[in-house]
């Protein structure tokens, strides 16, 4: 397992924004440290601010009844942006439900991002248009899909990679452990990216991991690294290293990004019931955005121009997100029968017909109801 | 959301009134309590500005404004529990500023927006009426024409065809607006075994009020109707049934049932956990605190304490802290999981506070390191914050010992129950003027009883007694502190 000096997670940017030299990882940040570094850093800064705004707007929309549920990623922006921006277009992402900042990196439209959370679709986007699988709610199941996909890449002889995102809670699931066995056995080009946000809903990570979760991977024969998950540069560097390993035929990697879920597990959760506010204060001091701001400032890059530009972009994205969400048409009831099978299925056809008759039966007693339902369906 | 379009005065932009309905703020909640409004009618608000605090069964959450505009009316009082889907506030917003959300229907459009019923996640199907779904009657014969009908074609089947069925099964056709506002008469719902029971016993289900989920008639309802209706006419039986179980309190109702939730539920769980995990014992000590009261009066006049709220509680708290330094076992914790006794080397002093939302016990962190003035200020702050309902979660956790001030309610003594996880709790009684032995004679003195409950796993009677005696000695003669520190 790789760690920073003193066994701490790898850190390349301190909470005060100082860039730490690192013999192993500096090579992966040549673009950041080079002449055009300002542009890269500003891009990462914009990403962090915009996705935080997406998160805030979605949370507000849930409170306003426009979304059924939302899993905030507040505090985890650097882990998602750092790793997400390390990916190539032909890599494939298999995430859980919290990686909406990764989805943003993949180019998922913010409106599409909300469709599942409004209950309007089973999947918000076409997985193959952005090379990111639909939101996975079953804990850890996506790690199997990623490993299988990576084995497919191997059979194809391509040099792309699969990356799978999961939380600290998923490390206790059989699926992840089975995935790691297969990934190691077949030396599949897959990156296991664990966002250890300290809490599996209300269970602290210490209850399910007596040693850091990154310790487990070497037991499977998978090299691992603990990284400061609130350090966007460190997350970028370690993910690039892992992807390079995958592309060069050297098999899987395991990354534990040590971060913190600043908000609730989902909008239906109240973290103040199980965790100490002092903990929140401690992590606030390690905020991923203020850290990059401090660094930009120290390089003389954080002027009003940049701030204003980024703010305007965030405002624009938030407004579009809201607009698209509140005007999202409700799917017709019959949509529940779509996408169950890829082709026709007689049993499903029978169910669809019966359901149609049932609905017609409900509407028959209500002339107005029928018309209203048709309007709904037509939207 | 519903709306009305106002043409506006000439020159002024047209505005729209938008109602905001209470959403399902968690997954599958049916109601929430409005804790507080942060805005008032007439206030300008911006999008996502926090307008209210709402407590659900799961959390207290802040509700952000869905609009930029002006608050027209608050439709729910703080402290009331509101069903999901009920309008709670209305806004006046510029008509051209926002396209109406898809779920609100078309702006100024003819038909009112279909109302939706909240279900497990968000809003479900359009409400068809307040009763059961208007299921197609059994008289409905051929599904074929229905299936052949074009998708967009409105229904042409006249409602008047419906009476072909028995009255009790017919779902009367009601205009949508009416359907929402009043329940339609129909035979109450029941299950087949209950219908059989009713038939066997000769009880007519029409007119019975069901007490089961969603108004379902239960076996008990049938049996109750049988008992109530014995020897009466049917009409009398019906009236009796109507006067029976009801949600709204009727005159002479002998009990009211309130769901257990919120702080009450939390308090109950904490008390049960405390009562059934720690063997608790109590001791009492009545003390002549006249010297302390004199000291209090002098301190209040001194410049250093002039701006502070000094009360007998402040002195008791200080005495407790001094007593704990000499008897630290009362400031410890039984860690059942680790099979360890945790001895704290600091004191986070909990002060029980009765708040509008119930009992909370915020604590003063590192109270042992505070001067009397700092302690007085910290306790006053804590109490004020708790009364306002703004206690931070950090203030509620990490306590090591607690004090509850029952004296403010005019009570002398009581047996407090431990705050879970703590080894001791002190109840402070009222200061009363009583005839008391003083210098060999009976005099009118200021007397207070201190009650102590302790976890007998951690603390023996000897340690508890020494601690209580120390606290008493300090309050009886504050000068005794000189011998203790």
């Amino acid at each position: 397992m790789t760690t920073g000096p003193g066994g701490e997670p790898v850190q390349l940017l301190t909470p005060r924004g100082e860039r730490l030299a690192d013999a192993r990882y500096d090579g992966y940040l040549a673009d950041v440290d080079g002449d055009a570094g300002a542009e890269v850093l500003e891009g990462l800064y914009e990403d962090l601010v915009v996705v935080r705004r997406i998160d805030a707007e979605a949370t507000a929309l849930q409170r306003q009844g426009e979304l059924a549920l939302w899993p905030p990623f507040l505090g985890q922006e650097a882990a998602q942006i750092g790793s997400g921006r390390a990916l190539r277009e032909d890599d494939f992402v298999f995430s859980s439900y919290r990686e909406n900042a990764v989805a943003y990196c993949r180019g998922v439209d913010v409106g599409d991002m909300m469709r599942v959370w409004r209950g309007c679709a089973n999947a918000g986007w076409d997985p193959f248009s952005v090379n990111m699988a639909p939101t996975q709610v079953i804990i850890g199941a996506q790690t199997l899909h990623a490993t299988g996909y990576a084995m497919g890449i191997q059979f194809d002889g391509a040099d792309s990679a699969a990356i799978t995102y999961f939380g600290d809670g998923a490390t206790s699931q059989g699926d992840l452990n089975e995935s790691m066995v297969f990934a190691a056995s077949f030396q599949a080009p897959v990156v296991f990216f664990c966002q250890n946000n300290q809490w599996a809903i209300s269970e602290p990570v210490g209850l399910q991991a007596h040693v850091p979760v990154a310790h487990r991977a070497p037991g499977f024969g998978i090299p691992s690294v603990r990284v400061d998950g609130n350090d966007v540069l460190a997350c970028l560097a370690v993910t690039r290293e892992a992807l390079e390993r995958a592309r060069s035929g050297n098999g899987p990697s395991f990354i534990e990004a040590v971060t913190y879920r600043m908000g609730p597990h989902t909008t239906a959760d109240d973290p103040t019931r199980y965790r100490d506010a002092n903990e929140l204060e401690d992590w606030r001091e390690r905020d991923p955005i203020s850290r990059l701001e401090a660094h930009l400032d120290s390089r003389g890059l954080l002027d009003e121009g940049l701030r204003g530009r980024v703010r305007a972009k965030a405002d624009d994205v938030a407004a579009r997100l809201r607009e698209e969400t509140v005007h999202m048409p409700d799917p017709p009831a019959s949509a529940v029968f779509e996408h169950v099978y890829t082709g026709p299925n007689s049993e499903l056809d029978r169910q669809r017909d019966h359901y149609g008759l049932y609905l017609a039966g409900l509407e028959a007693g209500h002339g107005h109801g029928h018309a209203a339902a048709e309007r709904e369906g037509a939207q | 959301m519903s709306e009305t379009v106002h043409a506006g005065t000439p020159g002024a932009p047209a505005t729209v009134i938008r109602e905001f309905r209470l959403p399902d703020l968690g997954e599958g909640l049916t109601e929430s309590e409005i804790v507080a409004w942060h805005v008032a009618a007439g206030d300008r608000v911006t999008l996502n500005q926090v307008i209210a605090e709402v407590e659900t069964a799961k959390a207290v959450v802040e509700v952000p404004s869905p609009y930029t505009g002006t608050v027209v009316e608050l439709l729910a009082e703080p402290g009331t529990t509101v069903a999901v889907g009920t309008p709670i506030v209305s806004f006046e917003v510029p008509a051209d500023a926002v396209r109406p959300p898809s779920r609100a229907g078309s702006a100024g459009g003819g038909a009112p927006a279909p109302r939706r019923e909240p279900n497990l996640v968000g809003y479900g199907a359009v409400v068809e009426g307040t009763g059961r779904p208007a299921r197609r009657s059994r008289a409905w014969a051929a599904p074929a024409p229905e299936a052949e009908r074009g998708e967009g074609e409105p229904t042409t089947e006249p409602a008047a065809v419906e009476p072909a069925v028995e009255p009790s099964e017919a779902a009367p056709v009601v205009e949508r607006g009416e359907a929402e506002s009043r329940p339609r008469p129909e035979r109450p719902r029941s299950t087949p075994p209950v219908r059989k029971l009713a038939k066997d016993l000769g009880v007519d289900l029409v007119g019975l009020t069901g007490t089961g989920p969603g108004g379902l008639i239960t076996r008990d309802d049938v049996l109750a109707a049988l008992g109530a209706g014995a020897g009466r006419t049917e009409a009398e039986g019906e009236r009796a049934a109507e006067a029976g179980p009801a949600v709204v309190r009727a005159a002479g109702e002998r009990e009211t049932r309130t769901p257990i939730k919120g702080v009450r539920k939390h308090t109950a769980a904490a008390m049960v956990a405390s009562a059934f995990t720690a063997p608790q014992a109590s001791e009492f000590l009545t003390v002549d605190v006249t010297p302390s009261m004199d000291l209090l009066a002098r301190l209040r006049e001194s410049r250093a304490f002039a701006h502070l709220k000094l009360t007998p509680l402040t002195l008791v708290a200080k005495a407790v802290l001094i007593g704990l330094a000499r008897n630290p076992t009362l400031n410890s914790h039984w860690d059942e999981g680790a099979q360890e006794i945790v001895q704290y080397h600091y004191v986070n002093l909990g002060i029980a506070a009765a708040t509008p939302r119930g009992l909370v016990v915020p604590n003063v962190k590192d109270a042992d390191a505070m001067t009397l003035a700092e302690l007085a200020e910290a306790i006053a702050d804590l109490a004020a914050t708790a009364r306002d309902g703004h206690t931070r979660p950090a203030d509620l956790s990490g306590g090591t010992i607690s004090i509850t001030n029952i004296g403010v309610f005019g009570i002398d003594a009581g047996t407090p129950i431990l705050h879970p996880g703590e080894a001791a709790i002190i109840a402070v009684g009222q200061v009363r003027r009583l005839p008391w032995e003083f210098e060999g004679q009976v005099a009118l003195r200021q007397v207070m009883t201190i009650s102590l409950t302790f976890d007998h796993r951690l603390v023996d009677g000897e340690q508890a007694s020494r601690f209580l005696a120390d606290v008493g000695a300090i309050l009886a003669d504050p000068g005794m502190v000189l011998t203790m520190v």
Side-chain angles (χ1 to χ4, degrees), chain A residues 53 56-70 117-120 265-273 275-279 281 318-319 322-332 334 353 356-377 379, chain B residues 1 20-21 23-27 47-48 55-67 98-103 105 111-112 114 116 121-123 126 128-129 133-137 140 143 146-147 149-155 157 159 162 171-176 179 184 262 365 392-394 397:
Chain A
R53 185 60 189 278
E57 197 69 20
T59 303
L61 282 165
Q62 195 280 335
R63 298 289 182 236
Q64 291 157 356
E66 299 291 349
L67 294 178
L69 185 72
W70 175 253
W117 304 107
R118 192 170 161 91
C120 289
H265 171 69
T266 67
T267 45
D269 173 45
D270 180 2
T272 64
R273 296 196 178 196
R275 70 184 187 190
D276 190 345
N278 294 329
E279 193 177 278
E281 287 306 310
R322 171 171 292 273
E323 178 77 5
E324 289 186 27
T325 301
V326 302
H327 296 111
M328 205 170 280
D330 286 347
S334 61
D353 289 348
L357 292 176
Y358 171 72
L359 289 182
L362 291 184
E363 287 155 8
H366 274 287
H368 288 80
H370 187 272
E374 286 301 327
R375 264 201 314 280
E376 286 281 319
Q379 275 177 355
Chain B
M1 284 180 243
F20 177 60
R21 294 172 187 273
D24 174 3
L25 293 161
E27 286 170 280
L47 180 67
N48 293 346
E55 181 170 16
T56 71
K58 297 181 177 180
V60 177
V61 298
E62 291 178 332
V63 175
S65 170
Y67 303 111
V98 275
R99 265 204 295 148
S102 60
R103 293 182 177 192
R116 294 167 159 280
V121 278
Y123 293 96
V126 176
E128 291 289 343
R135 188 189 292 276
R136 186 171 242 289
S137 68
W140 176 53
E146 199 78 13
R149 191 191 298 147
E151 271 291 298
E153 215 175 300
T155 177
E157 189 176 348
E162 293 290 313
V173 176
V174 190
E175 288 298 309
R176 179 167 298 275
R184 40 172 124 179
K365 298 277 187 282
R392 294 179 307 140
S397 61

Side-chain angles (χ1 to χ4, degrees), chain B residues 64-331:
Chain B
S65 170
Y67 303 111
T68 294
T70 306
V71 176
V72 175
E73 194 182 355
L74 304 181
L75 302 166
E77 292 288 317
T80 53
T81 297
V82 178
V84 166
T86 308
I88 55 172
V89 55
S90 57
F91 299 91
E92 185 173 7
V93 296
D96 55 351
V98 275
R99 265 204 295 148
S102 60
R103 293 182 177 192
S106 52
R115 187 167 162 184
R116 294 167 159 280
E117 189 170 74
N119 60 17
L120 279 183
V121 278
Y123 293 96
V126 176
V127 175
E128 291 289 343
T130 52
R132 61 184 173 147
R135 188 189 292 276
R136 186 171 242 289
S137 68
R138 286 176 197 144
W140 176 53
E146 199 78 13
E148 283 164 17
R149 191 191 298 147
E151 271 291 298
E153 215 175 300
T155 177
T156 49
E157 189 176 348
V161 176
E162 293 290 313
V165 285
E166 56 197 315
S168 63
E169 275 293 317
V173 176
V174 190
E175 288 298 309
R176 179 167 298 275
E178 281 179 74
E180 282 167 13
S181 58
R182 69 176 164 81
R184 40 172 124 179
E186 65 174 5
R187 190 178 77 185
R189 291 167 58 214
S190 57
T191 56
V194 171
R195 282 201 288 276
K196 170 145 194 333
L197 178 74
K199 192 178 170 196
D200 290 350
L201 298 174
V203 173
D204 187 359
L205 291 178
V206 175
L208 285 199
T209 305
T211 60
L216 199 70
I217 294 183
T218 65
R219 296 180 72 86
D220 286 348
D221 295 335
V222 173
L223 294 171
L226 185 70
R232 293 191 220 167
T233 67
E234 194 178 305
E236 278 169 344
E238 206 166 294
R239 275 198 300 278
E242 276 168 12
V247 182
V248 181
R249 183 182 171 180
E253 191 188 45
R254 289 162 68 82
E255 57 185 40
T256 300
R257 293 188 153 250
T258 309
I260 297 161
K261 56 185 184 178
V263 173
R264 170 52 49 203
K265 192 169 180 172
H266 181 79
T267 303
M271 288 298 102
V272 169
S274 169
F276 295 107
T277 54
Q280 313 194 13
S282 294
E283 294 188 336
F284 308 92
L285 179 65
T286 304
V287 188
D288 175 358
V289 296
T290 314
S292 280
M293 294 301 111
D294 293 345
L295 173 65
L296 208 53
R298 286 202 304 280
L299 290 176
R300 280 172 180 154
E301 280 165 21
S302 74
R303 188 179 300 171
F305 291 90
H307 64 291
L308 294 174
K309 185 171 181 275
L310 276 187
T311 67
L313 176 67
T314 324
L315 289 188
V316 174
K318 191 66 189 172
V320 162
L321 290 166
I322 294 167
L324 284 179
R326 287 159 55 86
N327 307 278
T329 46
L330 283 98
N331 186 45

Side-chain angles (χ1 to χ4, degrees), chain B residues 358-370:
Chain B
L359 172 72
V360 295
V361 191
N363 60 74
V364 179
K365 298 277 187 282
D366 294 319
D368 53 322
M370 290 182 170

